[in-house]
Amino acid sequence: MPIRSLTAIVAPVFLAAVYLTTASAVPHAQETTENPFTTNLDVRMGQRVFRQQCGRCHGRDGAGGELGPDLTDGFQNASTDAGLFSIVREGLPNTQMIGINRNATDQSVWMVVSYLNSLNDTANVDLPGDATSGMQVFNGKGNCTNCHMVSGEGGRRGPELTRVGSRRDPDELLSALMTPDEDVAPRWWTVRVTREDGSVIEGLRMNEDTFSLRLMDEQEDLWSFSKGRIRSYERIETSIMSSVDGVLTASEVDDLIAYLFSLRREES
Ligand code: HEC
Ligand code: HEC
């Protein structure tokens, strides 16, 4: 009880202090309305800042998370770069949106703005492949629907791909297909559990804490284990997806990329 009332008194004071400091640290942020940092390198730097500071709420790739909305489908609160700048810099009052670290330079704020714009860039890139053939490979020969869902159809052992074209550009899609083991997010790690009777269960790691483990096996069945009651377990940080390299022809891969990249929200 005493602790709680202390927090209640301290919190508003603290917030007020943050607000004042932020406001005076960037008195004329909106004076520059044109983003000076828009090269590909700037976008990548912005992406890096984003992953460090924003990903926990908005998702690593800005497609939305439990705490923050999808940022790949336009912005409700800003229509210009300057507007985005001030949201990223100052956050949105009375919401969980807290904005960037107070010590961030204007340059890194602009880089984040460039990155946010890149997430919404639906410019039609000229791709060699054919999206309709790509869809056939996806649903047929590629067996991609075993693990991936598009518009409600398919498996759950891999990320949902309904709008993958909004969060991945063609180059990133190509690496996802050719080198799936690179850069696997913990959400897609596998665990192999050896039970006390010696039997082995393997599957995607759904949940793990000090005492328990939850996994989803190949049949999409869920298993829970208490760590004290299994013989051992092993975490595997590679992807369960295998590379298409050597499995599909180069033109099938091009077609798949054209299809995947076409999976975006319509421009409104
Ligand atoms: C603690 C969670 C949290 C963090 C961290 C966070 N945000 Fe947000 N953000 C939110 C929430 C919640 C909203 C929605 C606020 C509302 O409108 O109710 C939001 C809204 C936004 C919006 C406006 C979206 C729109 O449609 O207008 C932008 C842009 C944005 N965030 C970018 C960022 C960036 C860039 C960072 C990192 C520098 C970041 N956010 C960090 C939670 C967060
Ligand atoms: C055995 C299950 C499985 C199969 C089959 C499979 N994938 Fe995957 N896929 C995954 C998992 C798990 C991930 C996430 C881990 C990673 O990055 O590899 C993934 C990641 C991806 C990504 C990156 C998604 C993102 O959000 O970045 C793409 C694109 C993709 N797969 C496309 C395909 C295509 C196209 C096929 C068919 C040729 C395919 N996958 C077959 C399991 C699978």
Side-chain angles (χ1 to χ4, degrees):
M1 195 57 189
I3 291 176
R4 181 170 292 203
S5 49
L6 186 64
T7 325
I9 297 163
V10 168
V13 176
F14 174 72
L15 285 179
V18 169
Y19 178 73
L20 289 176
T21 333
T22 317
S24 56
V26 276
H28 305 297
Q30 282 91 332
E31 266 178 12
T32 323
T33 50
E34 195 120 337
N35 187 346
F37 302 98
T38 57
T39 65
N40 284 339
L41 184 63
D42 294 327
V43 170
R44 296 225 176 264
M45 299 296 286
Q47 177 183 48
R48 195 187 291 174
V49 174
F50 187 90
R51 287 188 171 167
Q52 285 165 354
Q53 298 194 35
C54 324
R56 70 185 165 99
C57 291
H58 291 286
R60 183 175 153 84
D61 297 303
E66 269 168 43
L67 295 172
D70 184 356
L71 299 175
T72 66
D73 187 36
F75 308 103
Q76 281 169 4
N77 296 282
S79 52
T80 61
D81 280 0
L84 272 180
F85 183 102
S86 89
I87 295 176
V88 175
R89 172 62 91 190
E90 282 148 56
L92 289 166
N94 307 318
T95 75
Q96 297 226 58
M97 171 56 199
I98 51 177
I100 201 164
N101 180 313
R102 265 190 296 149
N103 304 320
T105 58
D106 280 2
Q107 180 174 354
S108 45
V109 178
W110 282 125
M111 287 169 168
V112 171
V113 168
S114 292
Y115 172 64
L116 292 175
N117 283 329
S118 79
L119 295 176
N120 289 274
D121 193 358
T122 48
N124 277 311
V125 188
D126 234 346
L127 291 172
D130 173 64
T132 312
S133 315
M135 183 167 82
Q136 283 156 8
V137 177
F138 189 88
N139 293 317
K141 183 178 175 189
N143 288 321
C144 315
T145 47
N146 278 354
C147 297
H148 292 288
M149 200 166 285
V150 171
S151 306
E153 305 258 330
R156 299 168 192 281
R157 289 193 298 143
E160 129 97 54
L161 298 179
T162 308
R163 284 191 290 118
V164 69
S166 304
R167 57 176 197 268
R168 297 279 178 235
D169 64 30
D171 282 348
E172 292 170 320
L173 290 169
L174 180 64
S175 5
L177 298 189
M178 301 299 271
T179 53
D181 285 341
E182 259 167 45
D183 218 9
V184 178
R187 164 75 183 81
W188 303 108
W189 288 350
T190 304
V191 275
R192 184 181 296 142
V193 171
T194 307
R195 294 194 283 188
E196 278 174 337
D197 65 2
S199 60
V200 175
I201 312 273
E202 190 174 313
L204 280 176
R205 172 174 163 274
M206 305 298 288
N207 228 318
E208 177 174 0
D209 61 28
T210 318
F211 304 108
S212 67
L213 255 179
R214 253 158 69 86
L215 61 83
M216 183 167 78
D217 70 14
E218 218 172 314
Q219 278 70 48
E220 298 190 358
D221 288 332
L222 293 172
W223 297 78
S224 285
F225 299 99
S226 125
K227 286 186 177 173
R229 306 183 67 196
I230 55 180
R231 187 180 296 171
S232 64
Y233 73 100
E234 185 188 352
R235 197 151 71 197
I236 304 160
E237 299 181 7
T238 51
S239 180
I240 57 169
M241 173 168 162
S242 42
S243 171
V244 299
D245 195 10
V247 179
L248 300 177
T249 66
S251 77
E252 286 168 335
V253 173
D254 282 345
D255 292 345
L256 266 180
I257 288 173
Y259 169 61
L260 293 169
F261 194 61
S262 76
L263 299 175
R264 277 171 275 155
R265 277 208 196 158
E266 300 296 316
E267 244 176 309
S268 43

